[in-house]
């Protein structure tokens, strides 16, 4: 199905979607925190009675997983390529505002000898047409944040499982929509938190499960990544992404919201180690942001030489560094930081502190202590040999060849497909995605209220007390094969990564 672009480009809604990849958010302007604070507080207090517990839920097995992808920018086109190496995946539909993006992924499928997928582009509701196809099992969403929840809800309502890039919700109301829809439809809704599948994070998760750190006391996570170049990189034109954020959608998020807007990369792995939603839960958080010392100044400098940037020169931008603290029901603490504008080396922190040991990923090389001192290199090698989980042993080498942030993207995709094909619960469920994403709006409220604490909703409706941790050692499943990567393909994938 193909359609003209005319209707798509003239509507305000699609301006928010921005190619499903990059977004002109002008028509979907987020509410200012000042007008949204009462709504955040009210939504956070909403009681929830589970209609059905999606934690541990195993949907009927799908030996062949028929996939439709929405959003074919850097993330979406990479997903097409990673999925093509996994047994039992049939990519049947490709959707994006930009015809060129759809055709680019279509050419890739042709080049590797896969059947052509149906194409969807150019109309303001074309992504709905994709979702409504009757021969799809899974919708894979890689669009700007503003579209994550609407697309995920629509897909579940039309009988599809959903996996979606981070964050899966921008508001507390959206988080509740996802939960209520997933429980009602009994369709999986998994946030694609790839950092949960990085090699060191998986190692420390297995070590924590084996009791090597003792009782976990404290954890830290972060997204410290200087994105100034990408955030201020203007698009080539209204219809074409230049590899950054088309229509400046991510810069506009930073201009209209003040808090931890991107918490899940650092938070997800720590929550899994602490068994949050599966024996423990977040109780409340408090958040503080610095002033902006960088983004507004840069916008002014750019506007002086290019009128394109004039609308960005009079904005108040979020504080450069946000620090959010969470206390859990069992008395643990978590610190999450967010900074995409300071001149600092990349870091997700990933600090695990327990009564018997600790781990620290950044600055690399990563370190582990089982006692008061960091392990020496030969001792650390022994730990890797002993505690690397089965999932890494099974597909880790191939993941490095296929690529995707060093391989963690591929491990995530392979594990998700393997669970669907074997009728197993997914590692992350709708409650995890909703909770981890909710730190964004909750932190906005706290920042705007002089760092007052705010209760974190119990999205599980009390089932956190009995939900069981997910397995990582492939006690079941693990049967999905990986298609061998040729040397030429490995070189191509490394360029993509």
């Amino acid at each position: 199905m193909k359609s003209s672009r005319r209707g798509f480009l003239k509507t305000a809604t699609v301006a928010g979607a921005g190619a499903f990849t990059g977004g002109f958010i002008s028509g979907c302007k987020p509410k200012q925190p000042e007008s949204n604070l009462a709504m955040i507080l009210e939504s956070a207090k909403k009681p929830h009675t589970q209609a059905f517990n999606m934690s541990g839920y195993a949907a009927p097995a799908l030996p062949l997983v028929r996939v439709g992808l929405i959003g074919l920018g850097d993330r979406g086109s990479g997903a097409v390529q990673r999925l093509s190496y996994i047994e039992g995946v049939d990519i049947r539909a490709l959707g994006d505002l930009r015809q060129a993006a759809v055709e680019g992924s279509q050419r890739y499928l042709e080049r590797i000898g896969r059947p052509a997928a149906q194409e969807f582009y150019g109309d303001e509701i074309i992504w709905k047409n994709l979702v409504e196809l009757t021969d799809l099992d899974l919708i894979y969403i890689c669009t700007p944040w503003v579209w994550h929840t609407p697309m995920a809800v629509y897909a579940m309502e039309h009988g599809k499982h959903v996996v979606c890039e981070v964050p899966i919700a921008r508001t507390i109301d959206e988080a509740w929509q996802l939960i209520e829809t997933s429980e009602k439809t009994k369709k999986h809704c998994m946030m694609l938190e790839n950092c949960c599948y990085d090699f060191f994070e998986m190692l420390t998760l297995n070590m924590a499960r084996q009791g090597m750190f003792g009782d976990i006391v404290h954890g830290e996570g972060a997204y410290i990544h200087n994105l100034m170049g990408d955030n201020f990189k203007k698009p080539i034109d209204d219809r074409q992404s230049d590899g950054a954020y088309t229509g400046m959608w991510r810069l506009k998020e930073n201009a209209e919201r003040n808090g931890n807007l991107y918490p899940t990369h650092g938070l997800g792995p720590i929550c899994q180690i602490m068994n949050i939603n599966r024996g423990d839960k977040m109780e409340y958080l408090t958040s503080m942001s610095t002033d902006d010392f960088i983004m507004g100044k840069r916008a002014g400098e750019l506007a002086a030489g290019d009128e394109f940037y004039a609308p960005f020169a009079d904005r108040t931008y979020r504080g450069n560094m946000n620090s959010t603290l969470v206390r859990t029901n069992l008395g643990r603490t978590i610190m999450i930081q967010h900074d995409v504008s300071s001149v600092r080396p990349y870091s997700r922190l990933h600090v695990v502190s327990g009564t018997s040991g600790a781990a620290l990923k950044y600055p690399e090389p990563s370190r582990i202590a089982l006692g008061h001192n960091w392990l020496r290199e030969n001792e650390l090698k022994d730990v890797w040999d002993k505690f690397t989980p089965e999932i890494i042993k099974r597909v880790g080498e191939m993941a490095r060849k296929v690529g995707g942030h060093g391989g963690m993207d591929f491990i995530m995709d392979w594990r998700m497909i393997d669970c669907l094909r074997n009728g197993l619960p997914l590692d992350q469920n709708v409650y995890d995605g909703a909770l981890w994403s909710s730190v964004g709006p909750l932190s906005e409220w706290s920042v705007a209220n002089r760092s007052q604490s705010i209760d974190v909703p119990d999205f599980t409706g009390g089932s956190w007390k009995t939900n069981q941790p997910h397995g990582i050692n492939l006690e079941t499943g693990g049967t999905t094969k990986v298609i061998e990567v040729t040397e030429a393909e490995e070189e191509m994938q490394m360029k993509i990564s």
Side-chain angles (χ1 to χ4, degrees):
M1 296 180 62
K2 301 181 182 179
S3 177
S4 77
R5 312 170 56 85
R6 189 177 308 149
F8 211 5
L9 293 173
K10 71 182 181 181
T11 61
T13 9
V14 174
F20 309 154
T21 52
F24 321 110
I25 257 175
S26 59
C28 286
K29 182 178 179 181
K31 294 181 179 179
Q32 293 287 347
E34 291 77 8
S35 63
N36 199 31
L37 297 178
M39 186 181 299
I40 293 173
L41 193 59
E42 180 181 355
S43 300
K45 293 180 178 180
K46 177 180 177 178
H48 177 62
T49 301
Q50 275 188 346
F52 182 84
N53 189 1
M54 292 300 293
S55 184
Y57 171 66
L62 296 168
L64 178 67
V65 183
R66 302 167 300 178
V67 184
L69 293 99
I70 310 175
L72 297 168
D74 292 344
R75 297 296 295 157
S77 60
V80 170
Q81 293 167 27
R82 295 191 304 273
L83 290 170
S84 71
Y85 288 101
I86 303 174
E87 178 191 22
V89 173
D90 185 1
I91 298 172
R92 294 205 172 183
L94 301 170
D96 194 289
L97 174 62
R98 298 168 301 137
Q99 179 177 350
V102 173
E103 292 177 345
S105 287
Q106 190 78 279
R107 285 194 299 272
Y108 171 80
L109 294 178
E110 179 182 3
R111 192 161 63 246
I112 64 172
R114 290 290 188 98
Q118 292 194 57
E119 298 182 0
F120 296 81
Y121 54 82
D123 184 86
E124 71 270 16
I125 58 169
I126 203 69
W127 64 268
K128 290 188 176 182
N129 293 354
L130 184 155
V131 168
E132 290 167 5
L133 290 176
T134 58
D135 61 346
L136 294 180
D137 305 300
L138 176 70
I139 302 298
Y140 199 118
I141 301 171
C142 301
T143 64
W145 304 344
V146 72
W147 282 102
H148 287 180
T149 295
M151 288 179 172
V153 167
Y154 195 76
M156 288 186 283
E157 289 176 340
H158 284 78
K160 314 300 194 295
H161 298 301
V162 174
V163 293
C164 178
E165 282 290 350
V166 303
I168 202 168
R170 293 174 66 257
T171 70
I172 304 300
D173 277 345
E174 286 187 340
W176 286 122
Q177 289 175 39
L178 292 168
I179 288 166
E180 291 166 358
T181 307
S182 182
E183 291 180 355
K184 177 182 67 176
T185 61
K186 296 184 182 178
K187 292 299 177 182
H188 289 302
C189 182
M190 172 179 161
M191 185 171 68
L192 294 166
E193 186 36 79
N194 55 345
C195 295
C196 289
Y197 295 89
D198 208 353
F199 294 80
F200 190 73
E201 283 85 338
M202 292 294 287
L203 173 73
T204 54
L205 175 58
N206 196 29
M207 292 180 69
R209 293 280 174 81
Q210 304 301 321
M212 295 306 295
F213 298 122
D215 292 328
I216 304 299
V217 177
H218 175 74
E220 297 178 15
Y223 187 71
I224 298 172
H225 187 187
N226 188 346
L227 296 176
M228 288 289 288
D230 283 345
N231 278 343
F232 281 96
K233 188 176 184 180
K234 67 180 182 180
I236 297 172
D237 59 41
D238 282 351
R239 305 179 183 187
Q240 183 174 344
S241 170
D242 55 6
Y245 308 108
T246 308
M248 317 297 284
W249 69 264
R250 193 160 181 173
L251 181 62
K252 292 172 183 176
E253 291 274 359
N254 281 273
E256 293 160 345
R257 303 173 62 196
N258 191 12
N260 190 323
L261 308 188
Y262 205 63
T264 72
H265 282 337
L267 180 60
I270 295 298
C271 284
Q272 289 191 327
I273 284 173
M274 290 187 176
N275 290 328
I276 300 296
N277 286 341
R278 298 166 174 82
D280 197 2
K281 75 179 185 78
M282 296 184 188
E283 288 286 352
Y284 60 89
L285 65 75
T286 182
S287 186
M288 180 181 293
S289 292
T290 68
D291 284 349
D292 168 45
F293 294 85
I294 301 170
M295 287 185 282
K297 179 180 179 182
R298 180 58 176 159
E301 292 170 348
L302 291 169
D306 187 340
E307 64 179 11
F308 171 85
Y309 291 100
F312 300 97
D314 59 353
R315 304 288 186 94
T316 300
Y317 290 87
R318 60 174 291 274
N320 304 124
M321 170 63 82
N322 174 274
S323 298
T324 299
L325 288 171
V326 178
R327 183 175 172 88
T328 78
N329 181 265
L330 296 184
R332 300 159 167 160
T333 54
I334 306 171
M335 183 188 74
I336 318 114
Q337 291 189 318
H338 177 57
D339 186 345
V340 293
S341 51
S342 298
V343 181
R344 285 181 58 174
Y346 178 90
S347 175
R348 298 196 306 271
L349 292 181
H350 192 66
V351 175
V352 181
S353 180
T355 56
S356 300
L360 175 65
K361 181 167 184 174
Y362 295 93
E364 296 181 298
S366 305
R367 289 169 284 174
I368 291 175
L370 299 177
H372 294 291
N373 299 309
W374 298 116
L375 297 180
R376 294 187 291 269
E377 185 175 350
N378 63 313
E379 296 171 322
L380 191 58
K381 182 181 182 302
D382 291 340
V383 167
W384 275 98
D385 291 341
K386 184 175 181 179
F387 292 104
T388 294
E390 184 63 30
I391 187 173
I392 301 295
K393 295 177 181 177
R394 188 76 58 90
V395 297
E397 182 179 351
M398 187 63 68
R400 288 189 173 95
K401 292 181 179 180
V402 174
H405 290 99
M408 63 182 175
D409 293 358
F410 180 79
I411 297 170
M412 172 188 69
D413 287 335
W414 176 86
R415 171 65 171 170
M416 178 266 296
I417 293 294
D418 186 67
C419 288
L420 291 175
R421 296 185 72 231
N422 286 283
L424 299 174
L426 300 186
D427 294 340
Q428 303 167 37
N429 55 49
V430 67
Y431 310 115
D432 300 318
L435 176 65
W436 304 349
S437 298
S438 75
V439 169
L442 293 173
S443 68
E444 288 182 69
W445 185 93
S446 182
V447 167
N449 285 277
R450 294 178 59 87
S451 303
Q452 291 183 44
S453 63
I454 183 171
D455 289 343
V456 179
D458 175 14
F459 292 108
T460 73
S463 69
W464 65 271
K465 299 175 184 177
T466 54
N467 292 339
Q468 296 300 304
H470 70 288
I472 58 170
N473 282 317
L474 302 184
E475 294 87 351
T476 54
T479 60
T480 298
K481 296 177 182 178
V482 178
I483 301 169
E484 188 62 40
V485 181
T486 67
E487 188 172 326
E489 290 170 330
E490 182 178 348
E491 182 179 348
M492 177 181 66
Q493 291 285 10
M494 292 301 290
K495 290 179 181 178
I496 295 168
S497 300

